[in-house]
Amino acid sequence: MENIILIGFMGSGKTSVGGKLSRVMHMKFKDTDQLLEEEFGCKISEFFEKEGEAEFRNRETALLQRLNGTLQSTVLATGGGLPLRPENAELLKKLGMVVYLKASRETTVRRLSGDTTRPLLAGGNVEQKVEALLEQRIPLYTAAADVTVLTDGKSFYEIINEIEKRWKERMNWA
Ligand code: S3P
């Protein structure tokens, strides 16, 4: 079965939607941040401190290259910066149907204010950081995606239904 790849900004619900979606669709669930933390043996924030963002990005690309060809019947949630490298965006399209979970700026800021786990938001004004990153990233997420799902005001059930419907259409099962 074709994989489903979830992309989107930090706090867009990739991990929580992905876990539930995989259960509904009887698929496996994987999360690139979790896979990388297992590989690093430490939290992503610690890896950023020790090795820097550029090395983290290299490791994300290496992980995608390893997944390519081996991932099957899986919902894959990805780190918020992973689809930004053109090379990664291409690899994601090969891996499966790429779904962009898109929340509004307001929802995103609300969910992320007070976050202490994400290195890119550490120190300073979360709202300003989110705004600046969103501006750069929204066009890239949109270009990397096969399908964009707007999540504001929708329940998990509605979001999952929409993804399932698009996936079946793509597989010609609808
Ligand atoms: C990042 C998002 C994080 C994690 C890392 C970098 C980003 O993943 O990969 O902190 O660049 O947006 P989540 O989107 O799961 O928070």
Side-chain angles (χ1 to χ4, degrees), residues 8-11 14-15 31-33 44 48 53 56-57 60 78-82 84 117-120 133 137 141:
F9 200 74
M10 295 171 263
K14 294 163 294 195
T15 303
D31 181 310
T32 59
D33 284 342
I44 284 169
F48 261 67
E53 182 176 353
F56 177 73
R57 300 301 175 197
E60 283 187 320
T78 57
L82 186 141
L84 306 175
T117 62
R118 290 168 168 104
L120 293 182
L133 286 172
R137 290 179 172 195
Y141 291 138

Side-chain angles (χ1 to χ4, degrees), residues 21 23 29 45 66 78 88 109 147-148:
L21 177 68
R23 285 194 289 279
F29 177 65
S45 54
R66 288 200 303 278
T78 57
N88 293 359
V109 169
V147 173
T148 296

Side-chain angles (χ1 to χ4, degrees), residues 65-172:
Q65 284 163 343
R66 288 200 303 278
L67 291 176
N68 198 23
T70 58
L71 202 72
Q72 272 188 342
S73 299
T74 301
V75 176
L76 180 72
T78 57
L82 186 141
L84 306 175
R85 270 193 183 179
E87 184 188 355
N88 293 359
E90 260 180 53
L91 283 165
L92 289 178
K93 284 238 164 92
K94 283 195 201 155
L95 278 179
M97 181 177 85
V98 182
V99 179
Y100 170 22
L101 294 183
K102 186 174 186 184
S104 68
R105 266 157 217 272
E106 297 68 36
T107 303
T108 304
V109 169
R110 183 166 37 76
R111 287 195 190 147
L112 293 172
S113 59
D115 182 272
T116 55
T117 62
R118 290 168 168 104
L120 293 182
L121 303 177
N125 184 318
V126 170
E127 192 168 341
Q128 277 170 8
K129 288 184 186 216
V130 167
E131 292 280 347
L133 286 172
L134 277 177
E135 189 158 321
Q136 290 169 8
R137 290 179 172 195
I138 288 173
L140 299 170
Y141 291 138
T142 307
D146 295 306
V147 173
T148 296
V149 175
L150 303 176
T151 58
D152 268 54
K154 290 183 187 156
S155 64
F156 277 121
Y157 176 77
E158 288 168 315
I159 296 169
I160 286 167
N161 258 351
E162 198 169 324
I163 299 173
E164 192 178 8
K165 188 166 159 261
R166 301 299 294 266
W167 184 84
K168 285 184 173 163
E169 280 166 10
R170 190 170 144 111
M171 307 274 288
N172 277 325

